[in-house]
Amino acid sequence: MDLANLISQEDLIKRRSQIKKVFFYRICGAGMGPAAVLVKQAGFQVEGADSAFYPPMSTFLETTGIPLHKLDVVTPEFLKQYDLIVVGNSVSGKLDAARMIEKTGVPFTSFPSALGSLVLKEKNVIGIAGTHGKTTTTYFLTQMLESLGQNPGYLVGGIIEGRDPAKLGDKYFVIEADEYDSAYFHKISKFRLYELKNMILTSLEFDHADIFSSVEKIEDEFRAVMPNMKSTLILNQEYPSAMKLHKEYSQNSNQKWFLYGAGSETGPHNVKTFENGSEFEVKWKGETIPFKSSVVGGHNVLNITSCILYLLSEGFKVADVQKAALSIGMVKRRQEVRGKYKDMIVIDDFAHHPRAITVTLDAIHARFKGKKIVTIFEPISATARSSIFQNEFRDSLAGSDKVIIAKASIATTALGGQDLDVDKLAKEITAMGKPSQVATNLEELRTAIDKNIDQDGVLLILSNRTCLGLWESSFVQELKP
């Protein structure tokens, strides 16, 4: 590994005016594509390459006018025409491509560093961090700022109907502050490079077992940025790790700190959730303020409460913030109703962590009172495929009436972890009075679905990928409005 041409964040900021042409290597990544567009909107000439181009990212990039190339045309001589190469996290340090980039003589960096240095340095950046709720809360705050007459920039790590995943905007910039690492040469959390001025920490517990060996290692990533942030930090006090950070840093007189959560003085309190919305109260400067919103479920009430606190701390009027909270859209694959299958309501959700499963099931029960829930769970992330949460998955999935586990065929990459025992998981959930079974391929999954049809029920599909190919199969065409 030759990192002689790896440009530091500090040098990249200093040399910003000298950079004209920027090349994104593996541009179709979920973060790389939006980052490339933001760099282009910031005034740079941007091009990129990847091995293949698929919608929706390819469609999004084509609309921006960014020239796209196939990787097989990218040679050292080709790359020498650029002032900066941005390397995607999908490029392993063991690949020949990494050696080629390193030897071009062109400065290179990761997309979080490029984004922080070239785009975000002069913005009022609000990082939405945490184990759960990052994408949703990023979108919530973006919508509320727009309702308040602002033109916020944003980067949302999910698909939003009728909206690009990123926009440069004006004063405010809301970004999903991911704790996952940045590149083979930047083995630090992305949010450490985003030049954050503010942070909302929605939650903090162990995840990403392929990167971190303990929750303390994740806490350390936050310790690297919190002391240097210039403005507001809002933490959910329901998480012990978040409270450790609060105890360590909240005495900084240059920062404003706020805590929220059901057990906090702030709230949300008196939460009532219905099929089409929620009501709750937030305490601000000694006043109890009522709110109504279209968001459903206790966890989404928590998410929107964090946004409310930030907006009130920025000086927006209470009445205006109340109005901004009323009508809020959701990111796709977050409690998204996809239609009906044989009269069962089908819901697609991204939950893949035990706590996320619990709060999602709570929201579905509140939204569809009295209906039986058949849950399909695909444990596909490195952490979910491991035995780390064996018992926690049992307890969270038991909130369903029936469970189908879609078994992934790939072993976990969790550090020192063993594979999740899905047969044991199904057996133990069944012993708790909730019939459960395992499906190992799409055919078995379809058979299991058909055997568990409840015409007055909900089919909840929990997966952060395709669920054994279900979402790419004829199942989608069979859904009815």
Side-chain angles (χ1 to χ4, degrees), residues 31-48:
M32 285 283 280
V37 172
L38 289 168
V39 171
K40 183 177 189 293
Q41 290 177 356
F44 298 88
Q45 298 177 46
V46 174
E47 298 185 26

Side-chain angles (χ1 to χ4, degrees), residues 120-189:
L120 302 181
K121 180 63 177 176
E122 304 305 322
K123 294 276 188 181
N124 186 17
V125 185
I126 309 108
I128 313 298
T131 313
H132 318 294
K134 292 185 293 293
T135 303
T136 299
T137 308
T138 301
Y139 189 35
F140 284 1
L141 184 55
T142 299
Q143 292 176 82
M144 293 179 76
L145 281 164
E146 290 172 343
S147 295
L148 290 162
Q150 304 299 305
N151 179 33
Y154 62 85
L155 195 161
V156 178
I159 300 170
I160 308 170
E161 201 70 51
R163 182 191 286 257
D164 291 338
K167 173 185 167 183
L168 188 60
D170 296 329
K171 174 184 175 183
Y172 293 99
F173 194 97
V174 192
I175 189 167
E176 182 171 333
D178 189 358
E179 64 268 35
Y180 213 76
D181 59 9
S182 304
Y184 76 86
F185 46 82
H186 278 161
K187 304 303 283 186
I188 59 176
S189 292

Side-chain angles (χ1 to χ4, degrees), residues 397-417:
L397 288 166
S400 312
D401 293 284
K402 296 181 181 179
V403 178
I404 303 167
I405 303 167
K407 182 181 179 181
S409 59
I410 49 179
T412 185
T413 54
L415 301 175

